[in-house]
Amino acid sequence: MTQINKYEKFGDLYKIYFAETGTLSFDENGERRFALIDKQDYETVRRYNWHLRRGRNTFYATANVRHNGKSNAIMMHLLILGRSEILGFKNDGMVTDHHDQNGLNNTRNNLRVATKTCNQINTGKAKNNASGHNGISFNNDRKHWFVQFKFAKPAFQYTKSFTVSMYPSKEAAFGAAVRFRKAVEKYIGYNPDDAKLDPSKMVEKLKELKAM
């Protein structure tokens, strides 16, 4: 097999560049898109030729394989976790979720097996989301930035607002909202499908955590 991808090693990771040369091969900053994997998965991944595929909210890496006499596409993240039905995995009703919603970040700490409900909650930001960050939106009428966390089990959501008038500028209020969300994700952890979650305790912790 002639290898069409370029692999670039750095530390314990590999960047995988695609052969496609169209406009979709570059991000909004003009940088070439690439997939990211852990070093431990290099030998498994390099057996295939990978192509860039556009999804609804993100991009994915796919490869064509012959199965039962037909050409089928396998997805890199499913291959890494051994969950590709084309390669013999039996569907268990679960889906593979990318924590950061970047379908090209296929490092193992960014992948998880989740319920369909959890996966739907963790989908990418809406097209009308002015913040550019999942879970952060702006209400133009109230002049607030809102940070929202949604949970599937038990079903509840928590919202914290950052009023523009309380900060030097709209940008400053947005910065506070981003820092708050990142602080919550880092120090409390955010798993929307956590069946052991106590909503009252979670809300109490969220209220105690102030934007830095």
Side-chain angles (χ1 to χ4, degrees), residues 21-179:
T21 58
T23 56
L24 292 182
S25 299
F26 298 87
D27 62 21
E28 58 274 12
N29 297 316
E31 300 292 333
R32 182 174 287 278
R33 300 185 193 277
F34 58 87
L36 195 65
I37 63 171
D38 292 308
K39 180 175 65 176
Q40 71 185 83
D41 297 311
Y42 171 72
E43 292 298 333
T44 298
V45 170
R46 70 187 297 269
R47 295 201 302 264
Y48 302 89
N49 280 326
W50 298 98
H51 299 273
L52 189 64
R53 174 182 172 184
R54 186 172 190 171
R56 186 179 65 176
N57 296 308
T58 185
F59 287 83
Y60 297 96
T62 66
N64 294 321
V65 299
R66 298 291 297 179
H67 179 68
N68 292 333
K70 298 180 180 180
S71 178
N72 294 272
I74 61 172
M75 306 186 80
M76 184 183 292
H77 60 284
L78 297 181
L79 172 70
I80 288 174
L81 294 186
R83 296 182 62 81
S84 174
E85 292 184 52
I86 295 174
L87 298 180
F89 177 76
K90 294 184 178 180
N91 192 332
D92 58 2
M94 304 289 279
V95 295
T96 303
D97 187 277
H98 291 80
H99 278 292
D100 63 359
Q101 292 123 46
N102 177 4
L104 295 176
N105 182 359
N106 294 317
T107 54
R108 288 180 177 263
N109 64 3
N110 192 51
L111 301 177
R112 69 172 175 182
V113 178
T115 64
K116 290 183 178 180
T117 300
C118 177
N119 179 258
Q120 290 168 356
I121 289 175
N122 197 41
T123 53
K125 54 185 176 293
K127 293 182 178 180
N128 63 351
N129 184 345
S131 76
H133 289 255
N134 191 50
I136 302 177
S137 59
F138 186 72
N139 185 303
N140 194 52
D141 294 330
R142 300 178 64 181
K143 305 301 180 185
H144 288 179
W145 285 105
F146 287 98
V147 180
Q148 189 174 74
F149 294 89
K150 293 181 179 180
F151 298 83
K153 296 180 180 180
F156 86 102
Q157 66 182 38
Y158 174 82
T159 302
K160 180 177 176 63
S161 63
F162 294 80
T163 307
V164 172
S165 62
M166 299 296 292
Y167 295 86
S169 65
K170 179 181 177 180
E171 291 72 21
F174 171 61
V178 172
R179 289 192 296 274

Side-chain angles (χ1 to χ4, degrees), residues 3-16:
Q3 182 59 252
I4 67 171
N5 302 110
K6 176 185 176 182
Y7 288 79
E8 181 180 306
K9 185 177 184 298
F10 65 108
D12 292 328
L13 303 175
Y14 276 93
K15 290 182 180 180
I16 305 172

